[in-house]
Amino acid sequence: MAGRRVNVNVGVLGHIDSGKTALARALSTTASTAAFDKQPQSRERGITLDLGFSCFCVPLPERLRSALSAPHAASEAGPDPGEPQLQVTLVDCPGHASLIRTIIGGAQIIDLMLLVIDVTKGMQTQSAECLVIGQIACQKLVVVLNKVDLLAEGKRKAAIDKMTKKMQKTLENTKFRGAPIIPVAAKPGGPEAPETEAPQGISELIELLTSQISIPTRDPLGPFLMSVDHCFSIKGQGTVMTGTILSGSIGLGDSVEIPALKVVKKVKSMQMFHMPVTSAMQGDRLGICVTQFDPKLLERGLVCAPESLHIIHAALISVEKIPYFRGPLQTKAKFHITVGHETVMGRLMFFSPALDSFDHEPVLDTFDFSREYLFQEQYLCADLVPEAADSGQTNEKADQATGGHCPRQQWALVEFEKPVTCPRLCLVIGSRLDADIHTNTCRLAFHGVLLHGLEDKNYAESVLPRLRVYKLKHKHGLVERVIDDYNVIGRSLFKKETNIQLFVGLKVHLSTGELGIIDSAFGQSGKFKIHIPGGLSPESKKILMPTLKKRSRASQGEVAKQEESTDRPEPVQHVTLSLSFKRYVFDTHKRMVQSPSVLQ
């Protein structure tokens, strides 16, 4: 076991000024080149502006050693060559609302989340957003009640107990119900206090973290992919990219591609927190030195095995609405779409399974182009009624299908305003980042998984016609009069300017039970002739009798006049017509299709 080191990434998230960076500093024994607000802008403003990375090591707990296998070996050296080590990499995320893009990027590379709460203030707006991000991006949570030194000594225990109960209640309806909560004082006396003041509760926190951590599944196979968060040059050596390996593994001398720059570079050297290594794998925090390029061209982004990633212009994603987001998710609406470290604007079109497939088991790792899907004006959820389907007419079947019963899986087509580079099955988060940061509202709208990327710039012509998303159309009209036992005239189904020839051959239902077929246009006012193959029933003839009698008294030469006349007597009661059909959204021919399910 000599020299093996298992790396686990722990995110430090919370509201601005909750003491996240102070906590990371108190926990850490080794800092990276980007840790503890080293940026001049961060020091000038006194807040974290970017992701910071640092780490500490403890002996690998006995309970984890049996789970340890060769692929988890992170490096060749450790503090004690005879002891396997658990390396905890801390990802210090900003807390300011305007830096939510960076927070989301940081959350996607963590295995466990530390939610830092200012014990004197409790849950705040960004604490809540971080909790939402945590529910999406990771499986385990530890709540840290920081700044307990600011509580009056005599009332400290009572105040901590009160805040602990509040946090337990907050977590009750989340996946983190029952998560441990621990009080600390990362920087007693505040930022300006002398360094002689020792942090409180840090050893207990390390012990708690060690007990909560489990060894994540790490796979060295598959194409190498790394999320880069910092980039800088070292004179005489090359350019260093630091980040977290998302998949695969890498060794000295390997070639890597920087898709954003369209260049391939050779790995000259690698380090993990200042320690030289010859190989690294999924989950490891790594610095890669490659041949020189301008680091300003790649502040953050992705590095991958050559030709393993592609630029995409649109994507098909699975979608799940974040319940705290107020308001509907509308088709055609624009959202900020975050994939990895990239955030771009994207326009969405939502769709669901066909009505008879609402209860089908969700499929989260692929998209099936052979299936049919139902277009939705908005994401369907129990508290929202579907919008009107077409021309002010309600999509009645969708209403019935979603009355307290929503599909188990929904999807969206996302069309990006700018192309993005991202792997398949990556996490997607949709937000409204233009919302006022001073209002107490959740800006995170939905999350999902990227199932299929559309690489062709002309995807609207090359790919979308394969996407079988249809709209259910329902039109209603009236039988105006009868020609004979097998033919009637209909009206009020089409507008005067409608090309009725497009609808010829489609089946219509009469409210009296007969099934008819649209035969031809009738005159110029939007009326049409319907042929009824099985003929009108005796009951239907009785309802339509006034018209039949009038026609029987008419001479042969008067028929044409009568057919165009609008002042004829109406039937005893109205006989309605209903026309239902599907129109595929991306069908270039705009064909109307009727299937047995539509005709029911």
Side-chain angles (χ1 to χ4, degrees):
M1 281 193 179
R4 279 195 282 183
R5 181 179 288 195
V6 179
N7 183 66
V8 174
N9 299 305
V10 173
V12 185
L13 289 84
H15 195 85
I16 187 169
D17 288 336
S18 57
K20 297 181 299 299
T21 302
L23 181 65
R25 193 191 297 271
L27 285 167
S28 301
T29 54
T30 309
S32 73
T33 51
F36 313 141
D37 300 341
K38 284 186 178 177
Q39 282 188 333
Q41 300 96 316
S42 289
R43 294 189 171 185
E44 189 180 317
R45 293 179 61 184
I47 60 171
T48 302
L49 295 176
D50 208 343
L51 299 176
F53 295 87
S54 56
C55 77
F56 67 88
C57 288
V58 295
L60 189 69
E62 199 63 45
R63 66 183 178 83
L64 299 180
R65 295 191 186 199
S66 58
L68 180 61
S69 55
H72 291 94
S75 67
E76 294 83 359
D80 178 351
E83 276 291 303
Q85 297 286 310
L86 175 64
Q87 175 178 281
V88 179
T89 296
L90 298 170
V91 184
D92 180 16
C93 296
H96 196 278
S98 62
L99 300 169
I100 190 77
R101 293 173 176 83
T102 307
I103 300 168
I104 293 170
Q108 292 181 70
I109 56 173
I110 64 176
D111 305 305
L112 181 147
M113 176 173 147
L114 284 179
L115 180 63
V116 185
I117 303 292
D118 182 336
V119 73
T120 65
K121 295 176 180 174
M123 283 290 285
Q124 296 169 273
T125 307
Q126 269 61 65
S127 317
E129 283 193 335
C130 290
L131 183 56
V132 171
I133 293 168
Q135 287 193 81
I136 297 167
C138 68
Q139 296 304 314
K140 282 196 168 183
L141 174 81
V142 171
V143 178
V144 178
L145 302 179
N146 195 18
K147 304 189 180 182
V148 295
D149 57 299
L150 299 182
L151 300 170
E153 203 162 331
K155 299 177 181 177
R156 186 172 298 171
K157 187 179 183 307
I160 290 170
D161 289 346
K162 186 179 178 183
M163 187 56 70
T164 299
K165 283 176 184 170
K166 275 189 179 179
M167 289 306 303
Q168 285 169 339
K169 193 170 182 184
T170 299
L171 298 177
E172 207 163 82
N173 295 321
T174 74
K175 69 194 279 187
F176 300 126
R177 182 178 183 175
I181 301 169
I182 186 169
V184 305
K187 187 76 169 70
E192 307 306 320
E195 296 296 329
T196 50
E197 281 275 3
Q200 301 166 16
I202 296 302
S203 58
E204 291 85 352
L205 176 56
I206 290 173
E207 194 177 316
L208 176 61
L209 269 177
T210 307
S211 73
Q212 291 296 307
I213 285 170
S214 53
I215 296 179
T217 303
R218 307 294 196 206
D219 184 6
L221 304 176
F224 169 74
L225 179 65
M226 181 166 117
S227 173
V228 173
D229 42 65
H230 295 96
C231 193
F232 56 92
S233 58
I234 299 176
K235 197 172 180 181
Q237 291 190 43
T239 301
V240 175
M241 300 174 288
T242 63
T244 303
I245 301 177
L246 302 177
S247 70
S249 57
I250 190 168
L252 285 177
D254 288 353
S255 292
V256 295
E257 182 184 355
I258 308 168
L261 309 183
K262 295 183 173 65
V263 296
V264 174
K265 297 284 183 180
K266 199 163 192 176
V267 177
K268 296 172 69 179
S269 63
M270 303 191 301
Q271 285 191 0
M272 289 185 193
F273 291 102
H274 315 301
M275 198 185 308
V277 294
T278 58
S279 65
M281 63 171 288
Q282 183 187 41
D284 286 336
R285 175 79 193 160
L286 187 68
I288 297 177
C289 183
V290 298
T291 46
Q292 196 81 40
F293 69 88
D294 185 355
K296 290 177 183 173
L297 298 174
L298 184 75
E299 286 187 19
R300 54 168 43 103
L302 293 171
V303 176
C304 62
E307 298 183 10
S308 62
L309 272 192
H310 303 281
I311 291 171
I312 62 172
H313 300 269
L316 295 168
I317 66 170
S318 66
V319 183
E320 195 171 325
K321 185 175 187 282
I322 292 168
Y324 309 104
F325 181 77
R326 294 177 188 168
L329 305 179
Q330 303 270 16
T331 282
K332 294 186 179 176
K334 286 185 178 181
F335 288 88
H336 293 88
I337 309 295
T338 302
V339 280
H341 280 305
E342 283 190 83
T343 299
V344 298
M345 293 300 292
R347 188 186 299 276
L348 280 84
M349 182 196 82
F350 293 99
F351 54 98
S352 72
L355 293 171
D356 57 358
S357 305
F358 267 36
D359 290 323
H360 281 197
E361 196 70 30
V363 180
L364 302 175
D365 60 354
T366 188
F367 184 84
D368 188 352
F369 277 92
S370 68
R371 284 178 63 184
E372 291 201 341
Y373 302 92
L374 178 60
F375 171 88
Q376 299 294 349
E377 291 288 351
Q378 63 189 33
Y379 179 91
L380 299 177
C381 48
D383 57 337
L384 292 171
V385 178
E387 298 262 321
D390 183 19
S391 305
Q393 296 173 353
T394 304
N395 183 338
E396 292 170 6
K397 284 199 175 183
D399 275 355
Q400 291 165 10
T402 58
H405 176 65
C406 293
R408 294 183 64 186
Q409 185 172 16
Q410 295 180 63
W411 300 266
L413 167 68
V414 186
E415 300 183 87
F416 302 113
E417 285 195 353
K418 286 192 317 186
V420 297
T421 306
C422 57
R424 188 177 158 272
L425 300 182
C426 71
L427 176 65
V428 179
I429 296 180
S431 317
R432 276 276 164 78
L433 301 183
D434 47 358
D436 185 356
I437 61 174
H438 301 293
T439 58
N440 189 23
T441 57
C442 179
R443 296 172 295 163
L444 306 168
F446 63 86
H447 65 96
V449 176
L450 193 148
L451 300 175
H452 186 90
L454 279 57
E455 297 169 27
D456 188 346
K457 195 174 182 179
N458 299 313
Y459 63 87
E461 290 79 35
S462 63
V463 181
L464 291 189
R466 289 174 52 209
L467 182 59
R468 300 170 70 194
V469 176
Y470 65 86
K471 291 184 179 181
L472 267 183
K473 303 282 187 173
H474 300 284
K475 292 178 176 290
H476 301 281
L478 295 169
V479 173
E480 184 179 81
R481 60 185 177 273
V482 175
I483 299 175
D484 55 39
D485 286 359
Y486 292 91
N487 296 282
V488 297
I489 301 300
R491 65 173 173 85
S492 304
L493 197 64
F494 305 114
K495 294 177 182 174
K496 185 178 178 181
E497 61 272 16
T498 300
N499 180 3
I500 294 175
Q501 195 58 37
L502 296 172
F503 295 85
V504 168
L506 293 186
K507 298 178 176 67
V508 293
H509 279 288
L510 278 69
S511 58
T512 47
E514 290 86 355
L515 187 67
I517 299 170
I518 297 176
D519 186 65
S520 63
F522 186 80
Q524 304 296 316
S525 59
K527 295 177 186 177
F528 51 97
K529 184 179 174 184
I530 300 168
H531 175 65
I532 302 168
L536 290 166
S537 68
E539 291 78 12
S540 300
K541 290 177 188 176
K542 284 179 186 176
I543 293 170
L544 296 163
M545 193 59 72
T547 308
L548 282 170
K549 281 182 179 176
K550 177 126 182 161
R551 188 190 177 283
S552 66
R553 290 197 300 270
S555 66
Q556 192 72 28
E558 292 174 319
V559 171
K561 272 187 185 176
Q562 289 174 6
E563 287 173 344
E564 284 298 332
S565 171
T566 56
D567 57 355
R568 297 176 60 82
E570 292 286 337
V572 173
Q573 66 185 71
H574 285 304
V575 175
T576 59
L577 298 166
S578 60
L579 169 65
S580 297
F581 59 90
K582 296 193 289 192
R583 180 172 267 166
Y584 291 89
V585 175
F586 301 111
D587 179 8
T588 51
H589 301 291
K590 302 295 180 190
R591 285 168 294 212
M592 286 154 286
V593 179
Q594 287 183 316
S595 61
S597 61
V598 171
L599 295 173
Q600 286 170 4

